[in-house]
Amino acid sequence: TSFRVRSRWPVMVRNLRGRVGSKVEAVVMGEAVASEDEDLILPNHEFAQHAHVPSFEKYLEMYKRSIEDPAGFWSDMASEFYWKEKWGPHVYSENLDITKGNINIEWFKGGITNICYNCLDKNIESGHGEKIALHWEGNEPGLDDSLTYNQLLDRVCQLANYLKENGVKKGDAVIIYLPMLMELPIAMLACARIGAVHSVVFAGFSAESLEQRIIDCKPKLVLTCNAVKRGKKVINLKDIVDAALLGSSQNGVSVGVCLTYANELAMKKEDTKWQKERDVWWQDVVPKHATKCDVEWVDAEDPLFLLYTSGSTGKPKGVLHTTGGYMIYTAATFKYAFDYKPSDVYWCTADCGWITGHSYVSYGPLLNGATVVLYEGVPNYPDPGRCWDIVDKYKVTIFYTAPTLVRSLMRDGNEYVTRYSRKSLRVLGSVGEPINPSAWRWFYNVVGDSRCPISDTWWQTETGGFMITPLPGAWPQKPGSATFPFFGVQPVIVDEKGKELEGECSGYLCVKNSWPGAFRTLYGDHERYETTYFSAFPGYYFSGDGCSRDKDGYHWLTGRVDDVINVSGHRIGTAEVESALVLHPQCAEAAVVGVEHEIKGQSIYAFVTPVEGVEYSEDFRKSLVLSVRTQIGAFAAPDKIHWAPGLPKTRSGKIMRRILRKIASRQLDELGDTSTLADPQVVDQLIDLADT
Ligand code: ATP
Ligand code: MG
């Protein structure tokens, strides 16, 4: 059956030409019709028939409306939720042109709602109170728990009442420094319920990073737990919080209460350091509160949360999201990009400390009334089969993860995957970095048994939700391409002068006009917001990423533009060279950077992690270089291969190329902010190996 779809595809696109508005067509389809490309993975007919968006034609129809009538399109989406009062006469207003005054974006202004109410009460009222909201899987196999929507609401209300009793009011900030316990989404929802602004700090950050964030947002309370087990390691979180709170109070920001969940499987209460006047055990106080808590109704433009970016490119930015637009956008993107159905069981491996955990562990899925799996531990504990063990245990149907995890599981071998059934899987997803085509194929063929479409979702902390993403079943996939824009999103690729490029092209990825999930400011620094995102190309939101569009209109993210390498006038994206290297069967992971070169301007310098057991040899080096030469061309061949037992990554698993650049050019005293680095030792290791 899939062959029928295949032969229909180019015809279908050709037929559509001329019928869609030319502006829409230019964005969506580039200049040419789709070809009979070897690399097209066609949608399964069965799947497509039952998908929310069953065809490209249907997508185009919806997309066209979303661009031509954003107010109507998003109002319809919004009316699926509860609003105490409807928004004012303007669904949105925006100024995205810095030359025309301050940048400001508003959606559903004047509308009164509450996102916690829409996640919980609304689903309960429509009869889903006894449905499982959260399945919790502990670090140790065999340890688990679950909450129905009714139970989750009770827990959220108890904590909300406790927060209120402690003086937390609408607009107050609360810092959440918790591992992946159920208390983490509970805490987020409790804040949202009473209109408090949560700022989740990933519970892997150091005391200094936490301290900086506490000083920045001056929370009324800090919510944490005493310790957590990740794999075999016990991490004493309370010690980190103590150090951060000491530091912040020395800087004039003191926090009255540190509510601490006793995670006794990781550490006994009596072993936890305690400050009587400030610290309170969660279990001693929260369960005593009532399980009913009135909702604080807020304006759509009231702040919902503050979250810092991953810090891949420098000092993290405090991104602020508001309530109404974010709510509608995360709900809609979740539903369409994963083709979510009420019978699905959904698992996203991201931590709630990142935007992915905000939009697609907590809010997006719960707004849709989904059953969500939360996993406390690490993906390769006790062995690299753990993810598939969890998939089988809960009959997970939608599995969403990051390329770094896909690459590492791929390196561990197929055996760990194939010993599990994975029959329940229906849709796979990827986020965080460009996914190399070879990793994509492994994910598709081995994990998904060539059955499950992959949603390679391009988006950012700043965008709130998916921007460019496949809609499963609606069109053919190309391994490594994020494909087409989501409804309402107008991606444009511009050249260095800000001129929009048409058709097949490559350049800077910007977005024209706003979308409901867009961030509204950088906390406390609106000027930095304007200069970072809106001044490079006036009139557009600039993502900082590079992108190319192929002849069929598919989008390919090429990495950060700061990382683009210019060799003898050829502009080369890091993603492309890295993909060519990773295709080598003995290369597990690769990161490339540019270094100054007298003649070529820049030359390519590659850091390569070999697969387990492979030793460095001159032959291996040569075959890596050859791999790039044959796949891309001689101009992209790396001049230097630097052996890398590990790569410096952010705590969310992304490669930090800016540090690699400094190592490559031996500017070792200019490594910059390394506070978001997951394992700082890797850097020393690389420096030691620099001249071998
Ligand atoms: P910082 O902004 O502090 O440097 P960061 O950009 O890594 O950190 P995030 O907002 O978590 O912080 O990540 C967004 C970035 O991740 C995007 O700009 C892009 O570079 C990359 N990214 C996310 N998803 C994809 C994807 N599907 N394909 C390619 N790149 C992606
Ligand atoms: Mg970023």
Side-chain angles (χ1 to χ4, degrees):
T1 45
S2 70
F3 249 87
R4 231 180 50 222
V5 185
R6 180 187 183 111
S7 55
R8 272 183 44 220
W9 161 247
V11 181
M12 188 171 82
V13 176
R14 223 174 286 134
N15 288 346
L16 278 168
R17 299 196 59 153
R19 269 206 264 152
V20 291
S22 61
K23 248 165 70 187
V24 175
E25 190 192 39
V27 175
V28 178
M29 297 200 290
E31 275 309 285
V33 296
S35 61
E36 295 277 353
D37 201 316
E38 276 314 300
D39 258 356
L40 283 184
I41 311 267
L42 294 149
N44 172 301
H45 191 58
E46 269 295 297
F47 187 106
Q49 269 189 327
H50 300 108
H52 288 305
V53 181
S55 66
F56 193 64
E57 192 167 16
K58 177 71 187 166
Y59 161 73
L60 277 183
E61 179 194 315
M62 291 175 75
Y63 182 75
K64 185 167 185 267
R65 173 167 184 238
S66 74
I67 300 303
E68 290 174 354
D69 176 24
F73 183 89
W74 290 112
S75 294
D76 285 356
M77 293 273 174
S79 38
E80 287 175 29
F81 293 92
Y82 179 79
W83 296 83
K84 191 156 180 58
E85 276 168 47
K86 210 181 155 189
W87 48 91
H90 302 293
V91 174
Y92 67 98
S93 71
E94 61 189 17
N95 174 34
L96 304 177
D97 190 342
I98 203 160
T99 65
K100 296 184 180 145
N102 279 346
I103 305 295
N104 80 299
I105 300 171
E106 285 177 347
W107 281 84
F108 307 111
K109 177 88 180 160
I112 306 293
T113 188
N114 182 288
I115 195 169
C116 174
Y117 183 88
N118 276 299
C119 285
L120 304 179
D121 310 57
K122 183 175 166 287
N123 285 316
I124 292 168
E125 278 155 29
S126 49
H128 305 300
E130 288 306 303
K131 184 175 177 179
I132 302 280
L134 301 176
H135 279 299
W136 178 79
E137 170 80 5
N139 181 63
E140 301 303 324
L143 187 70
D144 53 37
D145 200 354
S146 67
L147 290 177
T148 62
Y149 272 85
N150 281 327
Q151 291 167 328
L152 178 58
L153 176 61
D154 287 354
R155 297 276 194 99
V156 167
C157 286
Q158 287 180 320
L159 180 60
N161 282 324
Y162 171 81
L163 294 176
K164 282 210 293 204
E165 185 191 85
N166 279 274
V168 179
K169 288 196 261 325
K170 184 180 160 191
D172 289 341
V174 172
I175 287 239
I176 303 173
Y177 185 75
L178 279 168
M180 288 294 270
L181 301 172
M182 289 202 276
E183 281 64 27
L184 177 44
I186 288 172
M188 293 161 68
L189 290 161
C191 290
R193 191 167 192 85
I194 60 172
V197 182
H198 58 72
S199 181
V200 182
V201 179
F202 172 58
F205 272 120
S206 63
E208 296 82 60
S209 306
L210 179 59
E211 178 190 320
Q212 275 173 17
R213 287 158 177 74
I214 292 171
I215 294 171
D216 199 38
C217 76
K218 305 179 184 53
K220 271 263 164 67
L221 253 91
V222 171
L223 309 186
T224 188
C225 87
N226 56 348
V228 65
K229 267 188 89 176
R230 280 207 191 95
K232 291 202 186 92
K233 265 203 316 233
V234 173
I235 301 160
N236 186 334
L237 296 177
K238 183 63 168 43
D239 272 359
I240 297 173
V241 175
D242 284 349
L245 286 173
L246 178 68
S248 71
S249 67
Q250 285 163 351
N251 282 284
V253 178
S254 34
V255 177
V257 180
C258 177
L259 183 67
T260 309
Y261 186 85
N263 190 13
E264 296 217 72
L265 288 166
M267 179 187 273
K268 295 231 155 26
K269 271 164 108 171
E270 55 268 30
D271 295 336
T272 309
K273 288 206 196 94
W274 208 245
Q275 291 194 22
K276 263 208 193 108
E277 59 300 341
R278 186 197 68 197
D279 302 341
V280 181
W281 288 115
W282 186 303
Q283 287 96 324
D284 287 351
V285 292
V286 176
K288 293 193 179 125
H289 284 79
T291 53
K292 295 268 169 300
C293 173
D294 286 343
V295 165
E296 179 80 39
W297 298 106
V298 300
D299 190 283
E301 280 302 334
D302 280 336
L304 175 63
F305 67 84
L306 166 65
L307 180 67
Y308 293 84
T309 56
S310 305
S312 307
T313 54
K315 201 171 172 318
K317 302 172 272 284
V319 164
L320 188 94
H321 282 283
T322 57
T323 304
Y326 176 83
M327 173 167 88
I328 304 313
Y329 199 70
T330 53
T333 45
F334 176 78
K335 174 175 162 182
Y336 287 102
F338 293 132
D339 188 44
Y340 170 75
K341 308 278 167 54
S343 54
D344 280 315
V345 175
Y346 167 80
W347 180 26
C348 165
T349 62
D351 192 286
C352 287
W354 311 116
I355 189 67
T356 306
H358 281 60
S359 303
Y360 302 109
V361 173
S362 313
Y363 293 116
L366 295 176
L367 285 164
N368 280 279
T371 294
V372 178
V373 176
L374 277 188
Y375 174 45
E376 180 190 30
V378 291
N380 52 5
Y381 176 79
D383 69 36
R386 185 66 186 278
C387 288
W388 323 120
D389 182 38
I390 296 174
V391 164
D392 282 357
K393 176 171 173 183
Y394 298 101
K395 306 269 178 301
V396 170
T397 58
I398 306 174
F399 176 71
Y400 185 35
T401 192
T404 176
L405 182 69
V406 176
R407 287 191 298 260
S408 104
L409 295 178
M410 183 169 139
R411 185 169 45 194
D412 293 324
N414 297 2
E415 221 294 285
Y416 287 109
V417 187
T418 53
R419 70 166 75 139
Y420 295 95
S421 143
R422 295 157 288 113
K423 254 200 342 258
S424 55
L425 288 175
R426 206 168 76 72
V427 177
L428 303 173
S430 169
V431 61
E433 292 178 286
I435 180 164
N436 327 96
S438 59
W440 194 102
R441 284 200 184 81
W442 183 83
F443 199 26
Y444 183 77
N445 292 324
V446 180
V447 174
D449 283 330
S450 311
R451 177 187 72 238
C452 312
I454 299 179
S455 288
D456 173 6
T457 59
W458 176 78
W459 61 298
Q460 309 178 291
T461 308
E462 295 88 339
T463 69
F466 306 151
M467 298 296 280
I468 303 181
T469 175
L471 300 185
W475 55 75
Q477 302 197 261
K478 295 190 184 189
S481 167
T483 76
F484 297 115
F486 191 72
F487 305 128
V489 175
Q490 280 180 278
V492 292
I493 299 175
V494 303
D495 65 13
E496 55 279 7
K497 296 199 191 76
K499 185 170 149 301
E500 277 183 41
L501 302 172
E502 301 288 335
E504 216 178 322
C505 62
S506 185
Y508 302 87
L509 180 59
C510 292
V511 185
K512 199 153 73 172
N513 302 338
S514 77
W515 62 97
F519 69 139
R520 307 299 198 245
T521 191
L522 289 181
Y523 183 69
D525 200 348
H526 199 71
E527 198 181 316
R528 185 175 176 209
Y529 170 76
E530 293 178 331
T531 52
T532 308
Y533 302 98
F534 297 93
S535 70
F537 305 107
Y540 300 101
Y541 164 74
F542 174 43
S543 68
D545 286 345
C547 183
S548 61
R549 194 163 45 209
D550 70 16
K551 60 189 187 316
D552 303 323
Y554 282 65
H555 292 81
W556 299 80
L557 276 297
T558 52
R560 331 254 171 185
V561 294
D562 300 345
D563 293 337
V564 166
I565 306 167
N566 196 328
V567 183
S568 312
H570 298 281
R571 292 171 58 78
I572 305 167
T574 50
E576 208 180 346
V577 184
E578 287 161 10
S579 287
L581 288 166
V582 172
L583 206 58
H584 190 291
Q586 291 180 314
C587 171
E589 200 155 33
V592 307
V593 296
V595 288
E596 253 180 72
H597 188 281
E598 264 178 54
I599 300 154
K600 298 192 262 191
Q602 277 187 309
S603 72
I604 294 182
Y605 190 115
F607 293 83
V608 167
T609 308
V611 292
E612 211 46 48
V614 171
E615 296 289 320
Y616 178 78
S617 74
E618 185 54 22
D619 282 348
F620 184 24
R621 191 192 67 78
K622 279 189 187 146
S623 65
L624 282 167
V625 174
L626 187 68
S627 181
V628 180
R629 277 174 168 269
T630 46
Q631 283 171 72
I632 308 176
F635 65 92
D639 281 3
K640 163 90 186 172
I641 304 274
H642 187 135
W643 221 230
L647 293 169
K649 291 187 182 168
T650 62
R651 283 163 212 262
S652 55
K654 300 186 204 201
I655 298 168
M656 270 203 208
R657 290 181 192 73
R658 84 185 147 79
I659 290 180
L660 293 175
R661 253 195 317 264
K662 297 292 178 195
I663 297 176
S665 57
R666 307 293 188 269
Q667 294 164 289
L668 301 179
D669 43 358
E670 293 170 33
L671 294 178
D673 182 9
T674 53
S675 66
T676 61
L677 213 54
D679 177 9
Q681 265 182 338
V682 167
V683 175
D684 299 331
Q685 225 174 25
L686 286 178
I687 294 171
D688 289 344
L689 283 168
D691 296 305
T692 53

